[in-house]
């Protein structure tokens, strides 16, 4: 297949979608999906008119994404900005759709990706970032999932674990990304907790509430990020913290520990500290050890390295960081922080600047750039 041809056609196809009324970012996503489909289809079935084929596929992808986004926004309009405590009084079919998309014919990872794209309203790029894989690979995974379920009856809902994974990723995107989905994820998790007596459902709800409680303090008035250690803890939502801790305690008492309960326990220890310097980092490291045992997730080990650096000193944190893959998201930022704690300002400034170039969003990039500038200024005095 002629990759040069694909590259040369991309701008004109993008222009056609924009002229038809697509906004530029959505058009870009649709064209990228079409290019991935072309890579898959054209070697065996090349089109007569390459540009027309790309325009048709991209426009269909744009319409699908627009419909999904519109449906999500209509659901969000029915809920308040902040989640109310207690079980949800009103229900809709959204949670059922999550279960149906988590179809038994799909692998868990494919079911999560499909649900995030079709129901959760996330873009292929956002899902790829959550899974630490290239966008093209995620687009192929979603396309395969769609083909798999295209000929099956949606009368076999998926399992709770898959739905929990979807809700967790939707919340994370709402908490840290450009699209506000956190309140919707909490609302649906409340519905699930009211319907199912499951310790990991409770663990996830507790985790969401504890993180959401810090939301008002996470950014300064100018929109810049405020690190956890520098946040004004009087702005934390104490009622959400109390509710999250209470839910977590009940779940942990059942002695069926899962990854969401372990994450919630870490969040609760942060919430319990009146000041950053009073954080019980030793116990947080112990919970990260439990979490690593449960998940063997490299991002967990990355976060554990930070906790080790706080509990046992920056040299110990750097030693915990050393075995990890340097391509992990935020690896360089963590390395910069630990080197700064160790007094190596030159290395830390360089790493902060490198991390800024890899940042997944503008707010994080600006924060890391300011950190590099601060250290460079300190070194020049």
């Amino acid at each position: 297949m002629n990759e040069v041809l694909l590259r040369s056609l991309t701008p004109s196809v993008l222009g056609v979608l924009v002229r038809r009324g697509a906004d530029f970012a959505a058009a870009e996503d649709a064209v990228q999906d079409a290019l991935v489909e072309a890579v898959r289809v054209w070697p065996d079935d090349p089109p007569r008119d390459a540009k027309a084929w790309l325009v048709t596929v991209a426009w269909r992808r744009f319409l699908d994404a627009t419909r999904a986004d519109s449906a999500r926004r209509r659901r969000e309009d029915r809920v308040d900005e902040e989640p109310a405590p207690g079980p949800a009084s009103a229900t809709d079919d959204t949670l059922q759709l999550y279960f149906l998309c988590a179809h038994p014919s799909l692998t868990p990872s494919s079911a999560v990706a499909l649900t995030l794209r079709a129901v959760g309203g996330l873009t292929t790029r956002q899902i790829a970032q959550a899974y630490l894989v290239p966008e093209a690979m995620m687009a192929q995974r979603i396309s395969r999932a769609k083909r798999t379920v295209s000929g099956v009856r949606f009368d076999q809902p998926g399992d709770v674990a898959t739905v929990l994974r979807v809700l967790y990723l939707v919340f994370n995107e709402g908490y840290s990304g450009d699209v506000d989905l956190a309140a919707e994820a909490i609302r649906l998790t409340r519905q699930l907790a009211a319907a199912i007596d499951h310790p990991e459902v409770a663990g996830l709800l507790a985790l969401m509430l504890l993180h959401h409680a810090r939301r008002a303090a996470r950014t300064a008035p100018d929109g810049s990020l405020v690190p956890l250690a520098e946040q004004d803890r009087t702005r934390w939502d104490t009622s959400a913290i109390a509710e999250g801790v209470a839910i977590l305690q009940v779940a942990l008492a059942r002695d069926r520990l899962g990854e969401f309960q372990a994450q919630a326990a870490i969040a609760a220890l942060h919430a319990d500290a009146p000041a950053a310097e009073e954080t019980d980092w030793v116990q947080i490291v112990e919970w990260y050890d439990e979490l690593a045992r449960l998940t063997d997730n490299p991002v967990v080990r990355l976060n554990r390295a930070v906790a080790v650096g706080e509990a046992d000193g920056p040299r110990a944190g750097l030693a915990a960081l050393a075995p990890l893959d340097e391509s992990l998201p935020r690896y360089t930022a963590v390395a910069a922080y630990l080197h700064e704690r160790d007094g190596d300002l030159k290395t830390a400034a360089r790493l902060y600047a490198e991390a800024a170039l890899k940042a997944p969003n503008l707010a994080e990039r600006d924060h890391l750039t300011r950190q590099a500038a601060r250290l460079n200024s300190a070194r020049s005095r």
Side-chain angles (χ1 to χ4, degrees), residues 34-36 47 66 69 89 96 105 164 217 256 261 290-291 297 304 307 317 327 348 372:
L35 293 176
V36 171
T66 300
D69 186 61
S89 58
Q96 182 65 17
S105 64
L164 287 178
R256 289 170 54 194
Q261 294 170 72
E290 288 287 347
L291 190 54
N297 186 318
R304 179 185 178 276
S327 66

Side-chain angles (χ1 to χ4, degrees), residues 3-333:
E3 293 182 3
V4 175
L5 173 62
L6 281 177
R7 285 197 297 270
S8 67
L9 288 173
T10 298
S12 60
V13 174
L14 184 59
V16 171
L17 266 64
V18 171
R19 286 193 296 275
R20 288 185 178 183
D23 68 84
F24 190 81
E28 276 191 312
D29 285 339
V31 171
Q32 288 300 317
D33 285 350
L35 293 176
V36 171
E37 188 69 4
V39 170
R40 186 185 69 83
V41 171
W42 285 11
D44 298 324
D45 186 17
R48 272 187 234 160
D49 187 334
K51 179 180 176 180
W53 189 97
L54 286 171
V55 167
T56 299
V57 173
W59 184 248
R60 287 173 180 166
R61 296 296 170 89
F62 166 73
L63 292 177
D64 288 344
T66 300
R67 292 187 189 108
D69 186 61
S70 296
R72 175 183 60 77
R73 290 184 184 280
R74 284 195 297 272
R75 292 193 298 271
E76 288 182 343
D77 287 341
R78 293 196 292 266
V79 298
D80 293 329
E81 169 77 9
E82 295 296 325
S89 58
T91 59
D92 58 31
D93 63 351
T94 307
L95 193 57
Q96 182 65 17
L97 288 174
Y98 274 64
F99 273 96
L100 291 176
C101 283
H103 197 273
S105 64
L106 297 172
T107 63
S109 61
S110 294
V112 171
L114 176 62
T115 313
L116 289 171
R117 188 73 181 92
V119 186
L122 303 191
T123 66
T124 304
R125 182 180 296 112
Q126 290 168 329
I127 301 168
Q129 289 172 347
Y131 270 88
L132 312 180
V133 299
E135 184 177 348
M137 181 183 298
M138 181 53 65
Q140 290 176 330
R141 183 182 298 178
I142 293 171
S143 294
R144 285 197 299 270
K146 288 179 179 177
R147 289 196 300 274
T148 299
V149 300
S150 62
V152 301
R153 289 174 56 85
F154 280 88
D155 54 0
Q156 293 179 281
D159 65 352
V160 174
T162 300
V163 174
L164 287 178
R165 177 63 50 190
V166 174
L167 290 169
Y168 173 70
L169 291 174
V170 169
F171 176 82
N172 280 348
E173 188 58 41
Y175 186 69
S176 61
D178 299 325
V179 182
D180 183 6
L181 298 168
E184 172 74 348
I186 291 175
R187 184 181 73 85
L188 293 173
T189 307
R190 284 192 188 281
Q191 285 189 13
L192 190 58
I196 299 176
D197 183 19
H198 192 297
E200 273 295 80
V201 176
L204 179 59
L205 180 56
L207 174 63
M208 289 179 174
L209 290 168
L210 289 164
H211 277 297
H212 206 68
R214 303 200 300 257
R215 184 168 188 164
R218 291 185 69 246
T219 54
D222 63 0
S224 59
L225 290 181
V226 180
L228 177 60
E230 300 172 20
Q231 288 177 14
D232 179 0
R233 300 187 178 214
T234 64
R235 299 184 65 198
W236 289 1
D237 185 342
T238 54
S239 62
I241 291 173
E243 184 186 5
V245 169
I247 292 171
L248 174 63
Q249 288 174 338
V250 172
L252 290 176
R254 299 177 65 176
D255 198 24
R256 289 170 54 194
L257 184 64
E259 63 171 297
F260 295 125
Q261 294 170 72
Q263 287 191 57
I266 293 168
L269 286 167
H270 283 297
D272 187 54
E277 56 270 18
E278 298 179 58
T279 304
D280 188 346
W281 286 106
V282 173
Q283 195 172 166
I284 287 175
V285 171
E286 292 174 357
W287 275 111
Y288 270 121
D289 289 338
E290 288 287 347
L291 190 54
R293 180 182 61 80
L294 290 166
T295 67
D296 196 29
N297 186 318
V299 176
V300 169
R301 297 188 181 279
L302 182 69
N303 292 331
R304 179 185 178 276
V306 176
V308 169
E310 299 289 353
D312 301 325
R315 296 286 175 90
L318 288 167
L321 185 67
L324 303 180
D325 187 345
E326 295 183 11
S327 66
L328 276 172
R330 298 185 174 88
Y331 176 99
T332 310

